[in-house]
Amino acid sequence: MVSPHASPGSAILKCDSFTFEECDISAAGQIALRYRLGNEVEFTETLQFPLVGELETRREAIAALQMLHLIGGASYWKAACPKVIQLESYELSPKQAEFWNTVYTKGMGEFFYRNNIDFRGLVNFPAEAETSSKPTPAGKQTAKRLLVPIGGGKDSLVTIELLKKAGYDVTLFRIGKHPVIEALARITGLPLLTVDRHLDADLFKLNAEGALNGHVPITAYNHAVAALVALLEGFDAVVFSNERSASTGNVQFHGQEVNHQWSKSMEFEKLFQNYLKEFVTNRVQTFSLLRPWSEVRIAQEFVKHPQYLPLATSCNTNWRIAGKKKIHGGAMNPNDLSSVALAKEEVSGSWCRSCPKCAFAFALYAAFLPAKDVTDIFGGNLFEDEKLLPTFRELLGVSGHKPFECVGTPEETRAAFLLARSRGDLGKSAAQEMFAKEVLPDIKNPDALIAEALAPANEHAMPEQFLSVLP
């Protein structure tokens, strides 16, 4: 069960239990999540909410806080993956325990795969015989005040613009500060709530010493934080921006599909909705507005908003290393592209131009924008970069498997390549020539493939009132 890169002599790898100790929230909105590995190694993760007032006495808030405590523990439990899981300050019903067993097992599938851990029977949250108390039933509600997580990429910006056009009262939400998101939020003209998260520094020390490390279901964590903010601040719904292809996995491992984006999937969305409603609150809805759409359809909608094109980015390099300069203060006019250009100049490294997300995003943009515009946005023509050909082959389904990134399906990538090819200004690039030789002959009906990528799917989990928001 030890990572090939871990140190077998590290004491942390020998811990046989993980304990969820306590969680609390102060009147000033500071949250503390406490955990323990074995009998000695303790962690405290803290968050600062934009809140005031006496919150700790509200039953629903406590239930939401416990939910956050449980998903937050994934970052610390994975250091050793002990089979014994203990709860010190509250209990779970069998149904709740089953939910958390699923979230940890499927949400950490990539972590298990990369560390070659046999996860079967590994995660066992303790369950009590009695069912936990349920929220007071509420009548049918119409969501008016919406909290929308903004991540800096095209998806959340499309959601924001669609909801603005439909006339909803929208407030943006983020975890942690980043200059790209600050700039984009100013362009939207909408208020922005920020939660500051601080992982325990001892976790990074343990990782450096050889403790197990890897991917956790961060979107599940974001769901829990956003739901708690919405409950305490009086929002009716949290609107995410997860597309339909997020439900498609990457590889099979020990009989289970490993999906890098599992906590963005339809499966998780429905599980979380049910858990929130049954065990936490009826006051807040959570759903993805873009679930019926493919990545290609989202990109088609996104390019209608040129004010965002110079700044928006989904490259992970931006989130690992914050921009070197601060964005200039003051409001931005979304129609004043000079102010947007200034913000772009102040944020360094929007696209690394070497990762699967950059390659996939370039293909999406190239499907709907002239070659010059796309190369200006990315700082180069990624279709001409021969070092990216292996990545494009994986994205197109020619070799390997779907990369462990938030990217679309091979069918979506093929549709994007076909659309870019039809424009005629990128046809002689290395990637398009590879596509013509290795992929195009196997596509029997290109028009049908494109039509399928642009058509909405019927499966979603959004309330009926939002169905008319998607054009």
Side-chain angles (χ1 to χ4, degrees):
M1 201 169 79
V2 177
S3 164
H5 302 294
S7 170
S10 178
I12 190 63
L13 298 176
K14 299 176 182 178
C15 290
D16 58 3
S17 65
F18 182 79
T19 303
F20 292 81
E21 293 185 323
E22 296 176 328
C23 55
D24 56 67
I25 182 169
S26 72
Q30 186 175 70
I31 287 175
L33 310 175
R34 297 181 177 86
Y35 311 96
R36 185 173 71 248
L37 264 173
N39 295 320
E40 298 180 356
V41 185
E42 296 190 343
F43 304 101
T44 299
E45 177 171 319
T46 60
L47 300 93
Q48 180 62 54
F49 273 37
L51 310 170
V52 294
E54 294 183 4
L55 309 172
E56 63 271 18
T57 59
R58 295 176 57 174
R59 183 184 59 78
E60 290 179 324
I62 293 172
L65 180 60
Q66 291 170 353
M67 180 173 65
L68 175 59
H69 189 214
L70 289 164
I71 186 56
S75 295
Y76 305 93
W77 173 84
K78 68 177 172 57
C81 297
K83 195 169 184 177
V84 177
I85 295 176
Q86 303 172 132
L87 305 175
E88 280 194 350
S89 56
Y90 50 87
E91 298 176 346
L92 297 177
S93 70
K95 192 172 181 180
Q96 286 176 297
E98 181 183 0
F99 171 82
W100 291 110
N101 290 341
T102 300
V103 169
Y104 270 60
T105 300
K106 293 190 174 183
M108 301 191 70
E110 180 184 342
F111 166 80
F112 296 139
Y113 175 80
R114 289 184 179 273
N115 287 284
N116 194 27
I117 296 172
D118 188 346
F119 57 84
R120 292 171 293 186
L122 176 61
V123 182
N124 296 283
F125 277 81
E128 299 299 319
E130 295 183 5
T131 303
S132 298
S133 60
K134 298 181 180 181
T136 303
K140 187 175 181 180
Q141 297 174 302
T142 299
K144 297 178 181 179
R145 293 191 68 219
L146 309 180
L147 190 66
V148 179
I150 178 172
K154 69 185 188 312
D155 300 349
S156 57
L157 294 168
V158 167
T159 292
I160 290 163
E161 288 300 322
L162 289 174
L163 292 173
K164 283 172 60 179
K165 185 177 181 180
Y168 282 97
D169 179 357
V170 175
T171 295
L172 307 182
F173 164 76
R174 64 174 176 177
I175 298 177
K177 297 177 181 179
H178 194 284
V180 170
I181 294 179
E182 290 170 14
L184 290 169
R186 277 201 296 278
I187 295 174
T188 69
L190 297 172
L192 173 66
L193 291 182
T194 300
V195 169
D196 288 321
R197 179 194 186 191
H198 300 281
L199 288 147
D200 194 305
D202 285 344
L203 178 63
F204 302 107
K205 294 179 182 178
L206 291 173
N207 289 339
E209 294 171 0
L212 292 167
N213 197 11
H215 182 74
V216 296
I218 188 62
T219 304
Y221 184 94
N222 295 344
H223 270 69
V225 176
L228 179 54
V229 171
L231 177 64
L232 296 174
E233 290 290 303
F235 291 95
D236 302 309
V238 181
V239 187
F240 288 88
S241 307
N242 302 319
E243 73 290 340
R244 69 183 187 226
S245 61
S247 298
T248 302
N250 304 83
V251 296
Q252 290 288 325
F253 183 56
H254 289 307
Q256 176 177 292
E257 182 181 62
V258 174
N259 184 358
H260 171 82
Q261 302 186 82
W262 184 79
S263 59
K264 290 185 177 181
S265 71
M266 172 69 83
E267 181 182 13
F268 173 77
E269 182 174 341
K270 289 182 176 180
L271 286 172
F272 187 85
Q273 285 179 338
N274 292 336
Y275 189 95
L276 187 69
K277 183 177 180 180
E278 186 168 357
F279 300 111
V280 180
T281 181
N282 282 293
R283 303 174 193 274
V284 177
Q285 304 176 72
T286 62
F287 63 93
S288 172
L289 184 70
L290 303 184
R291 184 67 68 189
W293 283 5
S294 72
E295 289 271 24
V296 182
R297 178 65 184 91
I298 295 170
Q300 184 186 42
E301 190 71 21
F302 177 62
V303 298
K304 297 176 183 178
H305 305 283
Q307 69 270 29
Y308 298 121
L309 291 174
L311 268 175
T313 177
S314 55
C315 177
N316 287 331
T317 301
N318 293 282
W319 318 126
R320 283 191 288 263
I321 304 174
K324 295 179 180 178
K325 302 179 182 178
K326 293 182 179 180
I327 299 296
H328 69 287
M332 267 193 216
N333 180 354
N335 298 313
D336 179 8
L337 296 186
S338 62
S339 67
V340 177
L342 175 59
K344 168 72 174 179
E345 184 178 338
E346 292 176 342
V347 180
S348 61
S350 294
W351 302 96
C352 74
R353 300 190 297 275
S354 61
C355 71
K357 292 191 76 171
C358 283
F360 180 67
F362 186 90
L364 292 178
Y365 282 38
F368 303 106
L369 294 172
K372 183 182 183 305
D373 292 351
V374 182
T375 54
D376 285 347
I377 290 169
F378 284 79
N381 186 344
L382 274 63
F383 277 175
E384 292 180 346
D385 188 348
E386 294 189 0
K387 294 191 298 295
L388 282 174
L389 290 181
T391 299
F392 280 120
R393 287 190 174 96
E394 290 182 343
L395 291 168
L396 290 161
V398 175
S399 63
H401 58 76
K402 179 184 173 186
F404 284 117
E405 290 283 4
C406 295
V407 296
T409 64
E411 292 76 18
E412 289 176 323
T413 308
R414 292 182 178 201
F417 265 71
L418 286 170
L419 288 166
R421 184 177 182 80
S422 69
R423 302 187 63 86
D425 51 5
L426 289 167
K428 294 183 179 180
S429 62
Q432 279 288 352
E433 288 183 354
M434 176 272 292
F435 174 76
K437 293 177 182 178
E438 302 179 23
V439 183
L440 192 55
D442 294 331
I443 301 177
K444 305 304 181 184
N445 192 333
D447 291 339
L449 181 61
I450 293 172
E452 183 178 357
L454 294 176
N458 293 324
E459 189 178 13
H460 62 79
M462 72 176 78
E464 185 177 349
Q465 76 174 83
F466 291 93
L467 294 180
S468 61
V469 175
L470 294 183

